[in-house]
Structures are given as structure tokens and as C-alpha cells.
Amino acid sequence: MTALWGAGGDLVVVEQDIELHRTVLSQFRRCPEPWCVFPYNGPGYGGADGGDPTLSGALGCVRFRATLMATHPGLMADVGNVDDAPGLGRGDWRRLDVRVLGALRDQGYAAHLHFPAVFQHHVFHGLCACGTEHEPYPVDREGRYAPEG
Ligand SMILES: [Zn+2]
Ligand SMILES: [Zn+2]
């Protein structure tokens, strides 16, 4: 992320478990806002386990304009160099989304939300966040895809 931040052009991030729909990239292309986000279902989708039902500031489906990155060229390197969670290493990916969110809000930005939301297929507690019972894939303790063997 640090290498891509401000490397030229806009930056679109789509995490591996996000299901896009057909207007995502065209909305990103057309919208003039500097920081655009498609929300998606979080761990509490469908009322399960009291988690956040909708993630609106995460990095799963986001576009940063080149102008934003040029205005704050050190932002990603700075947030990647923070040690703010016991047990996690400096710059750990599990805190990157909230650090980026906080750093951009501190600079006076607000995520520009786009709809319809996209869909996340992330396994929390043995159940996919999408709420359907499609083929479960093997995951590690953090819910990351972990092929067996
Ligand atoms: Zn936008
Ligand atoms: Zn799913």
C-alpha cells in the first residue's frame, strides 16, 4: 500500500473477498470526490453476534484520487508505521483500515459513500458474512483463506 500510494494515477483497492457489481468501477471513474468507498456487510450482517452490520470506512472497496495522495504523500507510510495494538506488529494489516480512516478524518476528509453496497465473503466464526450457506472455504483464525495441504 505504501508503494502504491501516490505512485501515479488513482488507486483502487478491492480486497480478495469482495464481490463487485457492474457499476463499481464506472462510479469510481466518474465521481470527482477524493476518497470513495463502497460499504459492505460486516461481521454483524443479518443481526449475527452484535458485530458491525455495515463497514463504511474499511479498505475492501475504495478509490483514492491521485490528487488526494499527492496532497498527503506520507500518509500511508505514516499509518503503516504505527504500533497501536498489543500483540500485533507495527503496521499490521488488521489495523490498517482504521488507521487510514482516522488519518484521513484528521485531515478533514469524509469517505464518500457509493451504493448499492458491494458484498463481502469473509468467514467470521465459521459463517460467511454474506449470510448464505455457499461452499465454505477453509480459513485461519483471522478469517483469511487458508487452503489445506
Ligand atoms: Zn465518490
Ligand atoms: Zn459468502
Side-chain angles (χ1 to χ4, degrees):
M1 291 288 284
T2 301
L4 293 170
W5 186 263
D10 301 331
L11 173 61
V12 171
V13 177
V14 178
E15 291 181 350
Q16 81 288 349
D17 52 8
I18 297 295
E19 178 184 335
L20 300 182
H21 54 73
R22 58 194 296 245
T23 73
V24 170
L25 296 179
S26 60
Q27 288 193 49
F28 276 160
R29 199 176 308 118
R30 285 196 311 262
C31 183
E33 293 291 324
W35 174 27
C36 294
V37 170
F38 277 87
Y40 52 88
N41 49 313
Y45 185 74
D49 78 18
D52 188 350
T54 306
L55 301 174
S56 300
L59 292 171
C61 187
V62 57
R63 192 264 292 120
F64 303 104
R65 283 284 183 210
T67 49
L68 170 75
M69 295 183 283
T71 305
H72 307 283
L75 187 143
M76 191 61 72
D78 289 346
V79 300
N81 197 32
V82 174
D83 191 2
D84 64 351
L88 300 180
R90 181 172 298 276
D92 190 276
W93 65 271
R94 284 164 284 197
R95 298 280 300 159
L96 188 60
D97 55 355
V98 293
R99 288 188 196 129
V100 170
L101 181 70
L104 287 170
R105 284 181 176 164
D106 286 349
Q107 295 293 332
Y109 296 96
H112 184 237
L113 300 183
H114 285 251
F115 297 92
V118 294
F119 227 43
Q120 177 179 225
H121 296 281
H122 184 102
V123 175
F124 298 98
H125 314 299
L127 204 68
C128 186
C130 73
T132 66
E133 297 189 9
H134 63 74
E135 138 206 19
Y137 55 88
V139 293
D140 64 14
R141 284 181 33 235
E142 306 294 339
R144 289 174 295 193
Y145 176 63
E148 296 158 286

